[in-house]
PDB file of all heavy atoms in Angstrom:
ATOM      1  N   ALA A 619     101.959 114.422 111.413  1.00  0.00           N
ATOM      2  CA  ALA A 619     102.721 115.511 110.801  1.00  0.00           C
ATOM      3  C   ALA A 619     101.904 116.209 109.720  1.00  0.00           C
ATOM      4  O   ALA A 619     101.893 117.447 109.629  1.00  0.00           O
ATOM      5  CB  ALA A 619     104.020 114.972 110.213  1.00  0.00           C
ATOM      6  N   ILE A 620     101.208 115.433 108.913  1.00  0.00           N
ATOM      7  CA  ILE A 620     100.393 116.011 107.840  1.00  0.00           C
ATOM      8  C   ILE A 620      99.219 116.784 108.422  1.00  0.00           C
ATOM      9  O   ILE A 620      98.845 117.854 107.927  1.00  0.00           O
ATOM     10  CB  ILE A 620      99.929 114.914 106.867  1.00  0.00           C
ATOM     11  CG1 ILE A 620     101.147 114.376 106.080  1.00  0.00           C
ATOM     12  CG2 ILE A 620      98.867 115.433 105.903  1.00  0.00           C
ATOM     13  CD1 ILE A 620     100.866 113.133 105.281  1.00  0.00           C
ATOM     14  N   ASP A 621      98.627 116.258 109.479  1.00  0.00           N
ATOM     15  CA  ASP A 621      97.527 116.948 110.146  1.00  0.00           C
ATOM     16  C   ASP A 621      97.995 118.304 110.691  1.00  0.00           C
ATOM     17  O   ASP A 621      97.310 119.322 110.539  1.00  0.00           O
ATOM     18  CB  ASP A 621      96.988 116.082 111.289  1.00  0.00           C
ATOM     19  CG  ASP A 621      95.741 116.686 111.925  1.00  0.00           C
ATOM     20  OD1 ASP A 621      94.783 116.977 111.191  1.00  0.00           O
ATOM     21  OD2 ASP A 621      95.736 116.877 113.154  1.00  0.00           O
ATOM     22  N   ILE A 622      99.184 118.333 111.298  1.00  0.00           N
ATOM     23  CA  ILE A 622      99.757 119.589 111.801  1.00  0.00           C
ATOM     24  C   ILE A 622      99.993 120.553 110.644  1.00  0.00           C
ATOM     25  O   ILE A 622      99.702 121.755 110.729  1.00  0.00           O
ATOM     26  CB  ILE A 622     101.084 119.330 112.549  1.00  0.00           C
ATOM     27  CG1 ILE A 622     100.825 118.562 113.852  1.00  0.00           C
ATOM     28  CG2 ILE A 622     101.815 120.642 112.846  1.00  0.00           C
ATOM     29  CD1 ILE A 622     102.092 118.060 114.531  1.00  0.00           C
ATOM     30  N   CYS A 623     100.508 120.023 109.548  1.00  0.00           N
ATOM     31  CA  CYS A 623     100.809 120.835 108.368  1.00  0.00           C
ATOM     32  C   CYS A 623      99.543 121.515 107.830  1.00  0.00           C
ATOM     33  O   CYS A 623      99.560 122.692 107.478  1.00  0.00           O
ATOM     34  CB  CYS A 623     101.437 119.942 107.293  1.00  0.00           C
ATOM     35  SG  CYS A 623     102.180 120.838 105.939  1.00  0.00           S
ATOM     36  N   VAL A 624      98.447 120.768 107.782  1.00  0.00           N
ATOM     37  CA  VAL A 624      97.172 121.316 107.304  1.00  0.00           C
ATOM     38  C   VAL A 624      96.675 122.414 108.248  1.00  0.00           C
ATOM     39  O   VAL A 624      96.238 123.484 107.806  1.00  0.00           O
ATOM     40  CB  VAL A 624      96.112 120.198 107.182  1.00  0.00           C
ATOM     41  CG1 VAL A 624      94.727 120.784 106.926  1.00  0.00           C
ATOM     42  CG2 VAL A 624      96.480 119.233 106.055  1.00  0.00           C
ATOM     43  N   LYS A 625      96.774 122.168 109.539  1.00  0.00           N
ATOM     44  CA  LYS A 625      96.285 123.131 110.532  1.00  0.00           C
ATOM     45  C   LYS A 625      97.124 124.408 110.578  1.00  0.00           C
ATOM     46  O   LYS A 625      96.635 125.461 110.993  1.00  0.00           O
ATOM     47  CB  LYS A 625      96.258 122.477 111.914  1.00  0.00           C
ATOM     48  CG  LYS A 625      95.163 121.425 112.066  1.00  0.00           C
ATOM     49  CD  LYS A 625      95.230 120.728 113.414  1.00  0.00           C
ATOM     50  CE  LYS A 625      94.118 119.696 113.554  1.00  0.00           C
ATOM     51  NZ  LYS A 625      94.214 118.930 114.821  1.00  0.00           N
ATOM     52  N   THR A 626      98.382 124.311 110.173  1.00  0.00           N
ATOM     53  CA  THR A 626      99.255 125.493 110.216  1.00  0.00           C
ATOM     54  C   THR A 626      99.333 126.222 108.872  1.00  0.00           C
ATOM     55  O   THR A 626     100.095 127.179 108.727  1.00  0.00           O
ATOM     56  CB  THR A 626     100.683 125.107 110.666  1.00  0.00           C
ATOM     57  OG1 THR A 626     101.193 124.069 109.814  1.00  0.00           O
ATOM     58  CG2 THR A 626     100.685 124.613 112.108  1.00  0.00           C
ATOM     59  N   ALA A 627      98.542 125.776 107.899  1.00  0.00           N
ATOM     60  CA  ALA A 627      98.477 126.468 106.597  1.00  0.00           C
ATOM     61  C   ALA A 627      97.447 127.582 106.709  1.00  0.00           C
ATOM     62  O   ALA A 627      96.250 127.367 106.518  1.00  0.00           O
ATOM     63  CB  ALA A 627      98.113 125.474 105.492  1.00  0.00           C
ATOM     64  N   ASP A 632      95.004 128.849  98.916  1.00  0.00           N
ATOM     65  CA  ASP A 632      95.067 127.408  99.187  1.00  0.00           C
ATOM     66  C   ASP A 632      96.510 126.936  99.011  1.00  0.00           C
ATOM     67  O   ASP A 632      96.984 126.744  97.892  1.00  0.00           O
ATOM     68  CB  ASP A 632      94.135 126.660  98.227  1.00  0.00           C
ATOM     69  CG  ASP A 632      93.923 125.205  98.629  1.00  0.00           C
ATOM     70  OD1 ASP A 632      94.421 124.798  99.703  1.00  0.00           O
ATOM     71  OD2 ASP A 632      93.245 124.480  97.870  1.00  0.00           O
ATOM     72  N   GLU A 633      97.199 126.748 100.116  1.00  0.00           N
ATOM     73  CA  GLU A 633      98.626 126.422 100.068  1.00  0.00           C
ATOM     74  C   GLU A 633      98.876 125.001  99.550  1.00  0.00           C
ATOM     75  O   GLU A 633      98.108 124.086  99.809  1.00  0.00           O
ATOM     76  CB  GLU A 633      99.247 126.570 101.459  1.00  0.00           C
ATOM     77  CG  GLU A 633      99.212 127.982 101.999  1.00  0.00           C
ATOM     78  CD  GLU A 633      99.857 128.100 103.370  1.00  0.00           C
ATOM     79  OE1 GLU A 633     101.026 127.670 103.500  1.00  0.00           O
ATOM     80  OE2 GLU A 633      99.207 128.611 104.288  1.00  0.00           O
ATOM     81  N   THR A 634      99.992 124.859  98.839  1.00  0.00           N
ATOM     82  CA  THR A 634     100.448 123.537  98.409  1.00  0.00           C
ATOM     83  C   THR A 634     101.205 122.897  99.565  1.00  0.00           C
ATOM     84  O   THR A 634     101.984 123.555 100.247  1.00  0.00           O
ATOM     85  CB  THR A 634     101.381 123.657  97.181  1.00  0.00           C
ATOM     86  OG1 THR A 634     100.630 124.193  96.086  1.00  0.00           O
ATOM     87  CG2 THR A 634     101.945 122.299  96.781  1.00  0.00           C
ATOM     88  N   VAL A 635     100.963 121.602  99.763  1.00  0.00           N
ATOM     89  CA  VAL A 635     101.705 120.850 100.777  1.00  0.00           C
ATOM     90  C   VAL A 635     102.800 120.072 100.057  1.00  0.00           C
ATOM     91  O   VAL A 635     102.530 119.368  99.078  1.00  0.00           O
ATOM     92  CB  VAL A 635     100.788 119.898 101.566  1.00  0.00           C
ATOM     93  CG1 VAL A 635     101.599 119.045 102.543  1.00  0.00           C
ATOM     94  CG2 VAL A 635      99.734 120.702 102.323  1.00  0.00           C
ATOM     95  N   GLU A 636     104.031 120.222 100.524  1.00  0.00           N
ATOM     96  CA  GLU A 636     105.172 119.597  99.866  1.00  0.00           C
ATOM     97  C   GLU A 636     105.863 118.596 100.785  1.00  0.00           C
ATOM     98  O   GLU A 636     105.899 118.768 102.006  1.00  0.00           O
ATOM     99  CB  GLU A 636     106.182 120.655  99.429  1.00  0.00           C
ATOM    100  CG  GLU A 636     105.674 121.568  98.323  1.00  0.00           C
ATOM    101  CD  GLU A 636     106.774 122.464  97.775  1.00  0.00           C
ATOM    102  OE1 GLU A 636     107.828 122.583  98.424  1.00  0.00           O
ATOM    103  OE2 GLU A 636     106.573 123.046  96.700  1.00  0.00           O
ATOM    104  N   LEU A 637     106.432 117.583 100.158  1.00  0.00           N
ATOM    105  CA  LEU A 637     107.219 116.574 100.868  1.00  0.00           C
ATOM    106  C   LEU A 637     108.681 116.754 100.479  1.00  0.00           C
ATOM    107  O   LEU A 637     109.005 116.919  99.303  1.00  0.00           O
ATOM    108  CB  LEU A 637     106.745 115.170 100.471  1.00  0.00           C
ATOM    109  CG  LEU A 637     107.530 113.983 101.023  1.00  0.00           C
ATOM    110  CD1 LEU A 637     107.408 113.913 102.539  1.00  0.00           C
ATOM    111  CD2 LEU A 637     107.038 112.686 100.392  1.00  0.00           C
ATOM    112  N   HIS A 638     109.557 116.731 101.473  1.00  0.00           N
ATOM    113  CA  HIS A 638     110.997 116.876 101.242  1.00  0.00           C
ATOM    114  C   HIS A 638     111.688 115.667 101.886  1.00  0.00           C
ATOM    115  O   HIS A 638     111.615 115.486 103.105  1.00  0.00           O
ATOM    116  CB  HIS A 638     111.521 118.174 101.862  1.00  0.00           C
ATOM    117  CG  HIS A 638     110.700 119.376 101.483  1.00  0.00           C
ATOM    118  ND1 HIS A 638     110.895 120.076 100.315  1.00  0.00           N
ATOM    119  CD2 HIS A 638     109.659 119.983 102.116  1.00  0.00           C
ATOM    120  CE1 HIS A 638     110.024 121.070 100.251  1.00  0.00           C
ATOM    121  NE2 HIS A 638     109.264 121.030 101.325  1.00  0.00           N
ATOM    122  N   LEU A 658      99.216 110.683  91.521  1.00  0.00           N
ATOM    123  CA  LEU A 658      98.780 110.701  92.911  1.00  0.00           C
ATOM    124  C   LEU A 658      97.302 110.320  92.993  1.00  0.00           C
ATOM    125  O   LEU A 658      96.503 110.758  92.156  1.00  0.00           O
ATOM    126  CB  LEU A 658      98.993 112.088  93.519  1.00  0.00           C
ATOM    127  CG  LEU A 658     100.448 112.536  93.680  1.00  0.00           C
ATOM    128  CD1 LEU A 658     100.500 113.983  94.164  1.00  0.00           C
ATOM    129  CD2 LEU A 658     101.212 111.639  94.641  1.00  0.00           C
ATOM    130  N   THR A 662      96.934 116.633  92.378  1.00  0.00           N
ATOM    131  CA  THR A 662      97.743 117.678  93.017  1.00  0.00           C
ATOM    132  C   THR A 662      96.941 118.932  93.341  1.00  0.00           C
ATOM    133  O   THR A 662      97.407 119.786  94.079  1.00  0.00           O
ATOM    134  CB  THR A 662      98.914 118.102  92.109  1.00  0.00           C
ATOM    135  OG1 THR A 662      98.375 118.680  90.900  1.00  0.00           O
ATOM    136  CG2 THR A 662      99.804 116.919  91.760  1.00  0.00           C
ATOM    137  N   HIS A 766     112.117 116.868  96.332  1.00  0.00           N
ATOM    138  CA  HIS A 766     111.082 117.831  96.708  1.00  0.00           C
ATOM    139  C   HIS A 766     109.870 117.577  95.820  1.00  0.00           C
ATOM    140  O   HIS A 766     109.995 117.604  94.592  1.00  0.00           O
ATOM    141  CB  HIS A 766     111.549 119.271  96.493  1.00  0.00           C
ATOM    142  CG  HIS A 766     112.852 119.606  97.156  1.00  0.00           C
ATOM    143  ND1 HIS A 766     112.934 120.033  98.464  1.00  0.00           N
ATOM    144  CD2 HIS A 766     114.129 119.594  96.694  1.00  0.00           C
ATOM    145  CE1 HIS A 766     114.197 120.259  98.778  1.00  0.00           C
ATOM    146  NE2 HIS A 766     114.944 120.002  97.720  1.00  0.00           N
ATOM    147  N   CYS A 767     108.701 117.323  96.411  1.00  0.00           N
ATOM    148  CA  CYS A 767     107.517 117.048  95.602  1.00  0.00           C
ATOM    149  C   CYS A 767     106.243 117.565  96.261  1.00  0.00           C
ATOM    150  O   CYS A 767     106.081 117.444  97.478  1.00  0.00           O
ATOM    151  CB  CYS A 767     107.354 115.545  95.396  1.00  0.00           C
ATOM    152  SG  CYS A 767     108.058 114.917  93.878  1.00  0.00           S
ATOM    153  N   PRO A 768     105.311 118.084  95.467  1.00  0.00           N
ATOM    154  CA  PRO A 768     104.008 118.457  96.018  1.00  0.00           C
ATOM    155  C   PRO A 768     103.163 117.199  96.223  1.00  0.00           C
ATOM    156  O   PRO A 768     103.245 116.250  95.437  1.00  0.00           O
ATOM    157  CB  PRO A 768     103.405 119.338  94.925  1.00  0.00           C
ATOM    158  CG  PRO A 768     104.013 118.828  93.652  1.00  0.00           C
ATOM    159  CD  PRO A 768     105.407 118.400  94.024  1.00  0.00           C
ATOM    160  N   ILE A 769     102.352 117.189  97.293  1.00  0.00           N
ATOM    161  CA  ILE A 769     101.447 116.045  97.503  1.00  0.00           C
ATOM    162  C   ILE A 769      99.991 116.503  97.562  1.00  0.00           C
ATOM    163  O   ILE A 769      99.114 115.736  97.955  1.00  0.00           O
ATOM    164  CB  ILE A 769     101.814 115.230  98.769  1.00  0.00           C
ATOM    165  CG1 ILE A 769     101.812 116.117 100.020  1.00  0.00           C
ATOM    166  CG2 ILE A 769     103.154 114.534  98.587  1.00  0.00           C
ATOM    167  CD1 ILE A 769     101.943 115.321 101.325  1.00  0.00           C
ATOM    168  N   GLY A 770      99.733 117.749  97.160  1.00  0.00           N
ATOM    169  CA  GLY A 770      98.363 118.234  97.123  1.00  0.00           C
ATOM    170  C   GLY A 770      98.216 119.608  97.741  1.00  0.00           C
ATOM    171  O   GLY A 770      99.196 120.292  98.034  1.00  0.00           O
ATOM    172  N   LYS A 771      96.976 120.001  97.947  1.00  0.00           N
ATOM    173  CA  LYS A 771      96.640 121.300  98.534  1.00  0.00           C
ATOM    174  C   LYS A 771      96.153 121.110  99.971  1.00  0.00           C
ATOM    175  O   LYS A 771      95.579 120.073 100.314  1.00  0.00           O
ATOM    176  CB  LYS A 771      95.546 121.983  97.709  1.00  0.00           C
ATOM    177  CG  LYS A 771      95.956 122.324  96.278  1.00  0.00           C
ATOM    178  CD  LYS A 771      96.938 123.480  96.237  1.00  0.00           C
ATOM    179  CE  LYS A 771      97.240 123.917  94.818  1.00  0.00           C
ATOM    180  NZ  LYS A 771      98.162 125.071  94.777  1.00  0.00           N
ATOM    181  N   ALA A 772      96.360 122.135 100.784  1.00  0.00           N
ATOM    182  CA  ALA A 772      95.929 122.071 102.181  1.00  0.00           C
ATOM    183  C   ALA A 772      94.429 121.798 102.282  1.00  0.00           C
ATOM    184  O   ALA A 772      93.964 121.123 103.209  1.00  0.00           O
ATOM    185  CB  ALA A 772      96.288 123.361 102.896  1.00  0.00           C
ATOM    186  N   SER A 773      93.662 122.282 101.306  1.00  0.00           N
ATOM    187  CA  SER A 773      92.202 122.087 101.313  1.00  0.00           C
ATOM    188  C   SER A 773      91.798 120.626 101.123  1.00  0.00           C
ATOM    189  O   SER A 773      90.641 120.262 101.361  1.00  0.00           O
ATOM    190  CB  SER A 773      91.561 122.943 100.215  1.00  0.00           C
ATOM    191  OG  SER A 773      92.036 122.556  98.939  1.00  0.00           O
ATOM    192  N   PHE A 774      92.727 119.776 100.687  1.00  0.00           N
ATOM    193  CA  PHE A 774      92.419 118.353 100.535  1.00  0.00           C
ATOM    194  C   PHE A 774      92.050 117.724 101.877  1.00  0.00           C
ATOM    195  O   PHE A 774      91.303 116.754 101.936  1.00  0.00           O
ATOM    196  CB  PHE A 774      93.630 117.593  99.979  1.00  0.00           C
ATOM    197  CG  PHE A 774      93.875 117.757  98.509  1.00  0.00           C
ATOM    198  CD1 PHE A 774      93.278 118.764  97.782  1.00  0.00           C
ATOM    199  CD2 PHE A 774      94.730 116.887  97.840  1.00  0.00           C
ATOM    200  CE1 PHE A 774      93.524 118.918  96.425  1.00  0.00           C
ATOM    201  CE2 PHE A 774      94.978 117.015  96.482  1.00  0.00           C
ATOM    202  CZ  PHE A 774      94.373 118.037  95.778  1.00  0.00           C
ATOM    203  N   GLY A 775      92.658 118.250 102.942  1.00  0.00           N
ATOM    204  CA  GLY A 775      92.498 117.635 104.250  1.00  0.00           C
ATOM    205  C   GLY A 775      93.571 116.585 104.483  1.00  0.00           C
ATOM    206  O   GLY A 775      94.187 116.073 103.538  1.00  0.00           O
ATOM    207  N   ALA A 776      93.789 116.237 105.755  1.00  0.00           N
ATOM    208  CA  ALA A 776      94.887 115.344 106.125  1.00  0.00           C
ATOM    209  C   ALA A 776      94.759 113.947 105.526  1.00  0.00           C
ATOM    210  O   ALA A 776      95.746 113.335 105.142  1.00  0.00           O
ATOM    211  CB  ALA A 776      94.977 115.259 107.647  1.00  0.00           C
ATOM    212  N   LEU A 779      95.682 113.895 101.763  1.00  0.00           N
ATOM    213  CA  LEU A 779      97.106 114.195 101.642  1.00  0.00           C
ATOM    214  C   LEU A 779      97.939 112.990 102.089  1.00  0.00           C
ATOM    215  O   LEU A 779      98.974 112.692 101.481  1.00  0.00           O
ATOM    216  CB  LEU A 779      97.465 115.425 102.477  1.00  0.00           C
ATOM    217  CG  LEU A 779      97.011 116.773 101.911  1.00  0.00           C
ATOM    218  CD1 LEU A 779      97.174 117.868 102.954  1.00  0.00           C
ATOM    219  CD2 LEU A 779      97.791 117.128 100.649  1.00  0.00           C
ATOM    220  N   TYR A 780      97.479 112.298 103.122  1.00  0.00           N
ATOM    221  CA  TYR A 780      98.214 111.114 103.588  1.00  0.00           C
ATOM    222  C   TYR A 780      98.189 110.009 102.527  1.00  0.00           C
ATOM    223  O   TYR A 780      99.189 109.309 102.327  1.00  0.00           O
ATOM    224  CB  TYR A 780      97.646 110.596 104.899  1.00  0.00           C
ATOM    225  CG  TYR A 780      98.394 109.376 105.406  1.00  0.00           C
ATOM    226  CD1 TYR A 780      99.689 109.498 105.913  1.00  0.00           C
ATOM    227  CD2 TYR A 780      97.832 108.111 105.339  1.00  0.00           C
ATOM    228  CE1 TYR A 780     100.395 108.386 106.347  1.00  0.00           C
ATOM    229  CE2 TYR A 780      98.532 106.989 105.773  1.00  0.00           C
ATOM    230  CZ  TYR A 780      99.812 107.138 106.275  1.00  0.00           C
ATOM    231  OH  TYR A 780     100.514 106.025 106.696  1.00  0.00           O
ATOM    232  N   ASN A 782      98.117 110.475  99.324  1.00  0.00           N
ATOM    233  CA  ASN A 782      99.109 110.893  98.328  1.00  0.00           C
ATOM    234  C   ASN A 782     100.528 110.672  98.851  1.00  0.00           C
ATOM    235  O   ASN A 782     101.421 110.243  98.110  1.00  0.00           O
ATOM    236  CB  ASN A 782      98.912 112.366  97.970  1.00  0.00           C
ATOM    237  CG  ASN A 782      97.745 112.596  97.019  1.00  0.00           C
ATOM    238  OD1 ASN A 782      97.131 111.642  96.528  1.00  0.00           O
ATOM    239  ND2 ASN A 782      97.430 113.839  96.759  1.00  0.00           N
ATOM    240  N   PHE A 783     100.739 110.985 100.119  1.00  0.00           N
ATOM    241  CA  PHE A 783     102.041 110.784 100.763  1.00  0.00           C
ATOM    242  C   PHE A 783     102.449 109.311 100.691  1.00  0.00           C
ATOM    243  O   PHE A 783     103.587 108.985 100.330  1.00  0.00           O
ATOM    244  CB  PHE A 783     101.961 111.254 102.215  1.00  0.00           C
ATOM    245  CG  PHE A 783     103.130 110.829 103.073  1.00  0.00           C
ATOM    246  CD1 PHE A 783     104.298 111.577 103.107  1.00  0.00           C
ATOM    247  CD2 PHE A 783     103.066 109.671 103.848  1.00  0.00           C
ATOM    248  CE1 PHE A 783     105.380 111.189 103.891  1.00  0.00           C
ATOM    249  CE2 PHE A 783     104.136 109.275 104.637  1.00  0.00           C
ATOM    250  CZ  PHE A 783     105.299 110.032 104.659  1.00  0.00           C
ATOM    251  N   LEU A 786     103.504 108.333  97.119  1.00  0.00           N
ATOM    252  CA  LEU A 786     104.802 108.879  96.731  1.00  0.00           C
ATOM    253  C   LEU A 786     105.934 108.206  97.490  1.00  0.00           C
ATOM    254  O   LEU A 786     106.947 107.809  96.885  1.00  0.00           O
ATOM    255  CB  LEU A 786     104.837 110.389  96.963  1.00  0.00           C
ATOM    256  CG  LEU A 786     106.155 111.096  96.661  1.00  0.00           C
ATOM    257  CD1 LEU A 786     106.623 110.829  95.237  1.00  0.00           C
ATOM    258  CD2 LEU A 786     106.030 112.600  96.906  1.00  0.00           C
ATOM    259  N   VAL A 807     110.372 115.643 105.748  1.00  0.00           N
ATOM    260  CA  VAL A 807     109.679 116.819 106.276  1.00  0.00           C
ATOM    261  C   VAL A 807     108.505 117.168 105.361  1.00  0.00           C
ATOM    262  O   VAL A 807     108.624 117.077 104.140  1.00  0.00           O
ATOM    263  CB  VAL A 807     110.630 118.038 106.363  1.00  0.00           C
ATOM    264  CG1 VAL A 807     109.887 119.296 106.782  1.00  0.00           C
ATOM    265  CG2 VAL A 807     111.777 117.754 107.325  1.00  0.00           C
ATOM    266  N   VAL A 808     107.381 117.560 105.968  1.00  0.00           N
ATOM    267  CA  VAL A 808     106.265 118.095 105.182  1.00  0.00           C
ATOM    268  C   VAL A 808     106.077 119.564 105.566  1.00  0.00           C
ATOM    269  O   VAL A 808     106.281 119.948 106.718  1.00  0.00           O
ATOM    270  CB  VAL A 808     104.943 117.335 105.397  1.00  0.00           C
ATOM    271  CG1 VAL A 808     104.947 116.018 104.667  1.00  0.00           C
ATOM    272  CG2 VAL A 808     104.621 117.151 106.860  1.00  0.00           C
ATOM    273  N   SER A 809     105.701 120.371 104.592  1.00  0.00           N
ATOM    274  CA  SER A 809     105.463 121.790 104.864  1.00  0.00           C
ATOM    275  C   SER A 809     104.473 122.337 103.855  1.00  0.00           C
ATOM    276  O   SER A 809     104.362 121.837 102.742  1.00  0.00           O
ATOM    277  CB  SER A 809     106.774 122.584 104.785  1.00  0.00           C
ATOM    278  OG  SER A 809     107.291 122.553 103.466  1.00  0.00           O
ATOM    279  N   SER A 810     103.741 123.368 104.270  1.00  0.00           N
ATOM    280  CA  SER A 810     102.873 124.073 103.336  1.00  0.00           C
ATOM    281  C   SER A 810     103.668 125.235 102.746  1.00  0.00           C
ATOM    282  O   SER A 810     104.757 125.556 103.213  1.00  0.00           O
ATOM    283  CB  SER A 810     101.616 124.584 104.058  1.00  0.00           C
ATOM    284  OG  SER A 810     101.968 125.476 105.090  1.00  0.00           O
ATOM    285  N   THR A 811     103.120 125.860 101.719  1.00  0.00           N
ATOM    286  CA  THR A 811     103.833 126.927 101.003  1.00  0.00           C
ATOM    287  C   THR A 811     104.390 127.997 101.940  1.00  0.00           C
ATOM    288  O   THR A 811     105.547 128.396 101.825  1.00  0.00           O
ATOM    289  CB  THR A 811     102.897 127.596  99.979  1.00  0.00           C
ATOM    290  OG1 THR A 811     102.334 126.599  99.135  1.00  0.00           O
ATOM    291  CG2 THR A 811     103.656 128.603  99.128  1.00  0.00           C
ATOM    292  N   MET A 812     103.574 128.445 102.886  1.00  0.00           N
ATOM    293  CA  MET A 812     103.967 129.537 103.771  1.00  0.00           C
ATOM    294  C   MET A 812     104.173 129.092 105.216  1.00  0.00           C
ATOM    295  O   MET A 812     104.467 129.921 106.084  1.00  0.00           O
ATOM    296  CB  MET A 812     102.900 130.648 103.741  1.00  0.00           C
ATOM    297  CG  MET A 812     102.593 131.203 102.353  1.00  0.00           C
ATOM    298  SD  MET A 812     104.009 132.009 101.588  1.00  0.00           S
ATOM    299  CE  MET A 812     104.118 133.489 102.600  1.00  0.00           C
TER     300      MET A 812
END
Side-chain angles (χ1 to χ4, degrees):
I620 291 169
D621 186 54
I622 292 170
C623 193
V624 170
K625 289 176 179 176
T626 55
D632 192 5
E633 296 181 54
T634 296
V635 176
E636 293 189 345
L637 175 65
H638 310 276
L658 293 174
T662 63
H766 307 273
C767 265
I769 57 171
K771 296 288 186 178
S773 62
F774 283 16
L779 286 169
Y780 180 71
N782 282 354
F783 167 85
L786 177 55
V807 175
V808 284
S809 65
S810 61
T811 306
M812 304 297 289

